[in-house]
Amino acid sequence: MHVFVTGATGWVGASVVQDLIAAGHRVTGLARCEEKGAALAATGAKVIPGTLDDLEILHNAASAADAVIHTAFNHDFSRFAENAQQDRRAIETLGDALRGSDRPLLVTSGLFGLTRGASELEVVSPASPRKSEAAARDLAERGVRVATVRLAPSVHGLGDHGFVPILIRLARESGVSAYPGDGSHCWSGVHRQDAARVYRLALEQGVTQSVYHAVADEAVPFKDIAQAIGRGLGLPVESRKREHFGWFAHMAGANMAVSSEYTRALLGWTPSGPGLLDDLALPGYYHAD
């Protein structure tokens, strides 16, 4: 299968590319700079220079592929609404290129806005700031074979630069590894290599469902995450009010913990990487931020 991957040099996308190539698939990846393009080419993938704003490039690359995986997203949180609209335009462009064919598209979203313990059947709240899943549903209504891979808030592993490193930086700056309230709310976690395998298995099995959950640790109490960070940095672990977390408060205080039972059974997916707390026990994790 020839797969076009956006975000092919990113944290998740790079692992998706490696997993696809190891399984014998051909990959074309989008890269926004020459340096990252060179690293992508070294994996054996074909490189297309461009960004999510290059809609003609996206359309042409999707038209030439057997399947498309969209992992790219601009994580500049100071302009999240703009980035969400950019993401939606890219998804609509990729879908338009595939419409009228049976070629599948997988897009990426998160767990924010879902109830604790939600299954793959639960629809994300319309108030969710990220619009990828809504865009996918619109494409499905227009006959595109499309599904959403919902990623855990912590897609972890050495080199992680996602949400947990934000907490690590905050702990370093404030001198305390904090949790809001009593810390009983939970996050899900998944190792990046396990997450990558969900995308591949979904493609290989024909994208038969509308949503997949790339979730290994289904519910890790936030207080446990804070305690692991405290041990790693040698800092006290204490409850703090919402204001302590600044712009990240809405994420730090959210329940983002769902079930992946259906995805596991459907795809035959058994996560094999280390769990989130196991990764946070590694000294090297504290050099990744």
Side-chain angles (χ1 to χ4, degrees), residues 264-281:
R264 295 175 192 236
L266 181 69
L267 300 182
W269 177 64
T270 302
S272 58
L276 173 56
L277 297 181
D278 292 331
D279 258 353
L280 287 176

Side-chain angles (χ1 to χ4, degrees), residues 38-96:
L40 178 59
T43 69
K46 178 183 176 182
V47 180
I48 295 181
T51 73
L52 292 185
D53 289 323
D54 296 317
L55 300 183
E56 184 176 358
I57 290 174
L58 296 180
H59 188 280
N60 292 342
S63 297
D66 300 318
V68 177
I69 294 176
H70 174 58
T71 68
F73 190 84
N74 185 340
H75 287 93
D76 177 358
F77 292 99
S78 68
R79 45 174 291 171
F80 194 89
E82 296 171 51
N83 296 337
Q85 290 305 319
Q86 179 194 52
D87 182 44
R88 182 163 197 152
R89 287 191 297 272
I91 291 170
E92 290 170 349
T93 299
L94 295 168
D96 284 344

Side-chain angles (χ1 to χ4, degrees), residues 12-279:
V12 174
S15 284
V16 170
V17 168
Q18 292 167 6
D19 189 74
L20 287 168
I21 290 174
H25 300 289
R26 292 185 298 120
V27 175
T28 296
L30 188 72
R32 66 178 184 270
C33 70
E34 186 175 345
E35 180 183 359
K36 291 189 175 185
L40 178 59
T43 69
K46 178 183 176 182
V47 180
I48 295 181
T51 73
L52 292 185
D53 289 323
D54 296 317
L55 300 183
E56 184 176 358
I57 290 174
L58 296 180
H59 188 280
N60 292 342
S63 297
D66 300 318
V68 177
I69 294 176
H70 174 58
T71 68
F73 190 84
N74 185 340
H75 287 93
D76 177 358
F77 292 99
S78 68
R79 45 174 291 171
F80 194 89
E82 296 171 51
N83 296 337
Q85 290 305 319
Q86 179 194 52
D87 182 44
R88 182 163 197 152
R89 287 191 297 272
I91 291 170
E92 290 170 349
T93 299
L94 295 168
D96 284 344
L98 299 173
R99 189 167 51 172
S101 74
D102 202 34
R103 293 171 294 145
L105 166 64
L106 289 175
V107 306
T108 304
S109 189
L111 306 183
F112 192 82
L114 293 166
T115 59
R116 181 166 171 171
S119 77
E120 293 84 343
L121 300 178
E122 182 169 324
V123 177
V124 71
S125 167
S128 174
R130 189 160 176 174
K131 305 303 179 185
S132 47
E133 194 162 334
R137 289 198 302 270
D138 289 346
L139 288 175
E141 291 175 0
R142 289 151 56 190
V144 178
R145 176 174 285 193
V146 58
T148 300
V149 176
R150 293 173 178 163
L151 292 174
S154 177
V155 182
H156 54 85
L158 293 179
D160 182 0
H161 49 271
F163 291 158
V164 166
I166 291 173
L167 296 172
I168 292 173
R169 285 195 296 273
L170 179 60
R172 281 198 174 114
E173 292 167 2
S174 65
V176 60
S177 181
Y179 55 90
D182 64 3
S184 63
H185 62 290
C186 293
W187 279 12
S188 293
V190 65
H191 192 273
R192 67 187 298 214
Q193 293 175 348
D194 287 324
R197 207 160 67 253
V198 170
Y199 289 89
R200 175 175 60 81
L201 291 173
L203 281 190
E204 290 177 344
Q205 297 188 25
V207 185
T208 59
Q209 304 301 311
S210 60
V211 173
Y212 301 90
H213 281 175
V215 166
D217 292 322
E218 294 187 350
V220 182
F222 196 91
K223 185 175 181 179
D224 291 358
I225 297 172
Q227 289 174 331
I229 292 172
R231 286 192 294 270
L233 296 176
L235 293 175
V237 180
E238 300 173 4
S239 176
R240 285 290 188 270
K241 293 182 178 180
R242 178 183 178 90
E243 292 75 14
H244 174 86
F245 299 91
W247 66 270
F248 197 62
H250 67 295
M251 299 296 288
N255 261 310
M256 294 186 286
V258 303
S259 168
S260 59
E261 180 179 357
Y262 188 65
T263 295
R264 295 175 192 236
L266 181 69
L267 300 182
W269 177 64
T270 302
S272 58
L276 173 56
L277 297 181
D278 292 331
D279 258 353

